[in-house]
């Protein structure tokens, strides 16, 4: 394990979606972690936003819209609005966890006028990993099947 709880990097699997799919059965959590490590963060977040729109509770629609707007045109005021809405929705929801990832990745956790305090660098990626884990376990008795479905969708959108 790495310092942040990530499994060690396996160079042999680098960039090979097929190997991700094959290992999803027995090591689905590690496979999703590798996806987070290898994917470009913004591309992964935008894809996760699209995934969440398909399954998210209607209460999270506004938060998803705000995150989409932020990625189109980053704004500090909007970043804080996203944080407040995610806090209300709950960071234990997929949309709330993705919003927290965005918040942590883009600036200080201190409100304007106070000394900046930045989160540990690994936390934003860890929240993206949590979103993937929540999606993999959504409406399935077998999280490995959910992970495989996600990896297939990711590979398909990467080719497009």
């Amino acid at each position: 394990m790495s310092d942040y709880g990530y499994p060690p990097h396996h160079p042999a699997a680098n960039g090979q979606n097929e190997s991700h799919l094959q290992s999803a059965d027995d090591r689905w959590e590690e496979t999703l972690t590798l996806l987070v490590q290898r994917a470009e963060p913004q591309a992964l977040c935008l894809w996760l936003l699209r995934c969440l729109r398909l399954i998210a509770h209607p209460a999270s629609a506004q938060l998803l819209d705000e995150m989409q707007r932020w990625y189109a045109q980053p704004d500090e005021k909007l970043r804080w609005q996203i944080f407040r809405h995610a806090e209300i929705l709950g960071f234990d929801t997929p949309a709330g966890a993705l919003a927290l990832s965005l918040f942590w990745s883009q600036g200080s956790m201190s409100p304007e006028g106070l000394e900046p305090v930045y989160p540990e660098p690994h936390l934003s990626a860890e929240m993206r990993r949590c979103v993937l884990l929540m999606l993999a376990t959504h409406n399935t008795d077998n999280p490995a099947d959910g992970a495989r479905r996600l990896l297939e969708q990711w590979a398909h959108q990467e080719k497009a």
Side-chain angles (χ1 to χ4, degrees), residues 44-120:
L44 182 58
C45 288
L46 289 170
W47 176 72
L48 287 169
L49 274 172
R50 289 191 300 274
C51 292
L52 290 178
R53 286 191 185 283
L54 299 174
I55 66 154
H57 190 276
S60 62
Q62 180 181 357
L63 179 59
L64 296 173
D65 289 344
E66 290 169 349
M67 286 189 280
Q68 191 76 44
R69 265 196 346 261
W70 190 92
Y71 279 110
Q73 188 169 5
D75 174 75
E76 185 65 8
K77 184 177 177 183
L78 181 56
R79 184 177 79 94
W80 277 94
Q81 181 177 317
I82 289 167
F83 175 78
R84 286 189 292 278
H85 287 162
E87 189 174 35
I88 292 166
L89 184 63
F91 298 126
D92 60 343
T93 65
L98 187 59
L100 188 57
S101 173
L102 182 154
F103 181 78
W104 280 341
S105 71
Q106 297 302 319
S108 172
M109 298 183 296
S110 301
E112 190 175 321
L114 296 178
E115 186 73 28
V117 175
Y118 297 96
E120 292 293 322

